[in-house]
Amino acid sequence: MGNIVFSACHGFRMDENMTTLKKSDFYFDLPQELIAQDPLEDRSASRLLVLHKDTGVVEHHRFQEITNYLRPGDCLVLNNTKVIPARLLGVKEDTGAAIEVLLLKRRENDVWETLVKPGKKARPGTKIVFGEGALRAEVLEVVEEGNRLIQFSYEGIFEEVLDRLGEMPLPPYITHKLQDKNRYQTVYAKYEGSAAAPTAGLHFTEKLLAEIRAMGVETAFVTLHVGLGTFRPVKAENLSDHHMHSEHYEITEETADLINRTKENGGRVFCVGTTSCRTIESAADENGRVQAGCGDTEIFIYPGYRFKVLDCLITNFHLPESTLVMLVSALAGRENVLAAYREAVEERYRFFSFGDAMLIH
C-alpha cells in the first residue's frame, strides 16, 4: 500500500466556541528534582494517577491496579515499535575532533537522515570514524532543519555494528547513563525504527499483560516509529501556527478489525501512550472506523479535537507547553489536566520518560 500523508488537520473539527489557544496556556511549574533519571527496578511498581475526564476527580494508585479500570471486552492498543541504539559517538577523520551523530530515519540502504553535533563540523564531504574504524561515515548533504544525510560503510550487518557501538538516544532531560538498554524498551517491542521509546508502555510487564488478557481484555498492536520531533518545543505562540513533525505508522488488518469490533460490541479502546492514540486517530475515517495500512501522520491533537476512536488513555506525565500535554488536555480538558499535574507535583510523582503513569478514564 502506498504512503498516505495525513495533514495536521486530518480528522480535526474545532468547536465553534473555541478561543485561540496559546502555548503559554499549557505551562505548569515543575521542580527539577521530580524529573525521573532512572527507571524503577520493577516496571509495574510505578505510581498511577487516575484522572476522571468527565468530573476532574483524581485518584492515586499503583500501576498494577490498572486492572481495576479494565473490563472484559475492552481493548488495549499498544505501540510495538523498537528503539534503535541511534546515538553514535565518533571523531572527524582528519582532525580527531569529537562528533555525535543521532540516527533519525533510514532513507535508503546505508544512507540515513541524522542530527549531528556540532553541526558546523559536519559539512558535506566530512568523514567520521566510529569504533576505531568498525563504522565509517561521510556527510552527503545538509537537508531541512539542518539535518545531515550521511552514507555509512562497514563490514558485516549494520544492525549488529550499531548494537555494538550505539547508545540509546535518551531524551535531553535525562542526564544519567542507562545501565541496561532494555529498560528503554517495552517488553513487547518488535519492529526497529524509533529514536525514542513509547514510554507509557514501559510500565507493562509480561505478567501484567497476561493478567489483563486473562480478564477478557484484548491487546491490539500498532507500529508508529517515534521521532525526535516528539521532544521539539512548540515555538509558535498560537497553536494553530504550529507544524507537527511527521512519523511513519503501520496498522494490520487484524488490528483494525479488532479495534473496530471492540467499538461495535460496546467495549472501550484504551490507548497505551500518545503514539498509539495518534496512530489510530490518524487511521480512522469520519465514522470512527480504523483503516488498515501504512502512512505518515502529522496529526496535531489539542483542545477542540473530537476523538473518533479512543475512549481512555494510559500515558506518562509530559513537559510543560509540549504537544503531548496538549493532546491529553484535548481528552480530559485543559483545566482538569493542569489541576491533576499540580496535584502530581504536590504528591511528588516522578515525571517524564522514566516517571510514573496517568490514566485518563
Side-chain angles (χ1 to χ4, degrees):
M1 179 171 177
N3 277 10
I4 311 159
V5 176
F6 291 97
S7 75
C9 294
H10 177 81
F12 194 97
R13 294 163 297 195
M14 289 296 291
D15 291 335
E16 289 179 12
N17 62 351
M18 285 296 295
T19 54
T20 303
L21 285 167
K22 298 188 180 300
K23 177 178 75 167
S24 53
D25 292 332
F26 298 87
Y27 179 79
F28 61 92
D29 277 318
L30 179 70
Q32 192 79 12
E33 68 268 18
L34 295 186
I35 300 173
Q37 292 296 319
D38 303 289
L40 296 179
E41 198 165 321
D42 176 2
R43 291 173 182 262
S44 63
S46 55
R47 295 165 76 187
L48 176 69
L49 183 148
V50 179
L51 170 60
H52 294 269
K53 61 179 186 249
D54 295 332
T55 62
V57 170
V58 166
E59 299 172 12
H60 303 285
H61 295 278
R62 289 285 163 187
F63 193 79
Q64 297 101 319
E65 296 171 287
I66 195 87
T67 51
N68 295 339
Y69 295 91
L70 295 163
R71 57 182 183 233
D74 288 342
C75 179
L76 274 187
V77 181
L78 305 123
N79 182 7
N80 62 8
T81 188
K82 193 170 188 178
V83 186
I84 59 173
R87 184 169 176 252
L88 288 162
L89 303 175
V91 294
K92 285 183 67 179
E93 189 177 64
D94 55 352
T95 65
I99 202 158
E100 178 182 325
V101 173
L102 203 56
L103 305 181
L104 299 179
K105 188 183 294 184
R106 191 174 215 148
R107 287 292 188 91
E108 56 188 3
N109 300 324
D110 295 316
V111 176
W112 285 75
E113 183 175 340
T114 68
L115 181 66
V116 180
K117 296 180 190 175
K120 288 178 182 175
K121 293 184 180 176
R123 296 185 180 88
T126 300
K127 293 183 178 176
I128 308 166
V129 180
F130 308 92
E132 297 179 348
L135 181 65
R136 294 179 177 274
E138 181 175 351
V139 179
L140 301 180
E141 61 177 290
V142 180
V143 291
E144 60 180 321
E145 295 181 341
N147 295 344
R148 266 64 175 171
L149 285 190
I150 284 184
Q151 169 92 51
F152 288 96
S153 57
Y154 51 90
E155 288 192 7
I157 299 167
F158 182 74
E159 285 74 16
E160 290 180 0
V161 175
L162 187 62
D163 193 53
R164 196 167 72 249
L165 300 180
E167 296 180 2
M168 281 300 187
L170 294 179
Y173 48 74
I174 293 177
T175 56
H176 290 191
K177 189 173 174 64
L178 185 63
Q179 300 304 315
D180 176 6
K181 282 183 184 178
N182 288 326
R183 288 303 278 110
Y184 195 56
Q185 215 71 276
T186 63
V187 296
Y188 47 81
K190 190 172 184 182
Y191 299 109
E192 292 188 331
S194 274
T199 53
L202 296 178
H203 303 283
F204 286 91
T205 62
E206 295 284 11
K207 180 173 178 286
L208 182 56
L209 284 170
E211 284 175 26
I212 288 168
R213 292 186 183 109
M215 293 172 58
V217 175
E218 300 278 9
T219 50
F221 292 95
V222 298
T223 307
L224 179 137
H225 293 314
V226 189
L228 286 182
T230 194
F231 301 116
R232 281 209 186 104
V234 175
K235 291 179 181 172
E237 182 56 23
N238 290 338
L239 300 197
S240 55
D241 295 332
H242 175 68
H243 178 69
M244 196 71 173
H245 59 283
S246 176
E247 292 172 318
H248 186 75
Y249 76 85
E250 293 184 27
I251 297 179
T252 64
E253 290 279 0
E254 181 186 12
T255 288
D257 290 346
L258 183 51
I259 295 170
N260 292 332
R261 197 163 61 245
T262 298
K263 299 292 281 189
E264 287 162 11
N265 294 338
R268 298 166 302 167
V269 172
F270 283 70
C271 282
V272 177
T274 55
T275 60
S276 298
C277 165
R278 292 179 69 237
T279 301
I280 65 169
E281 289 294 316
S282 295
D285 64 21
E286 286 306 308
N287 299 315
R289 287 190 65 79
V290 175
Q291 308 295 311
C294 63
D296 294 297
T297 179
E298 297 173 343
I299 191 168
F300 180 20
I301 296 174
Y302 58 92
Y305 179 89
R306 297 180 199 168
F307 290 86
K308 296 175 289 182
V309 187
L310 172 144
D311 296 297
C312 306
L313 178 68
I314 299 167
T315 187
N316 278 23
F317 292 93
H318 304 295
L319 277 76
E321 300 185 332
S322 65
T323 60
L324 305 180
V325 83
M326 293 165 190
L327 185 153
V328 296
S329 296
L331 181 60
R334 183 180 69 91
E335 290 183 6
N336 285 345
V337 167
L338 292 179
Y341 271 52
R342 283 194 296 272
E343 189 161 335
V345 168
E346 287 168 14
E347 296 290 330
R348 311 296 288 174
Y349 273 70
R350 301 165 76 247
F351 274 68
F352 306 159
S353 296
F354 287 143
D356 293 316
M358 182 180 196
L359 167 62
I360 299 176
H361 187 263

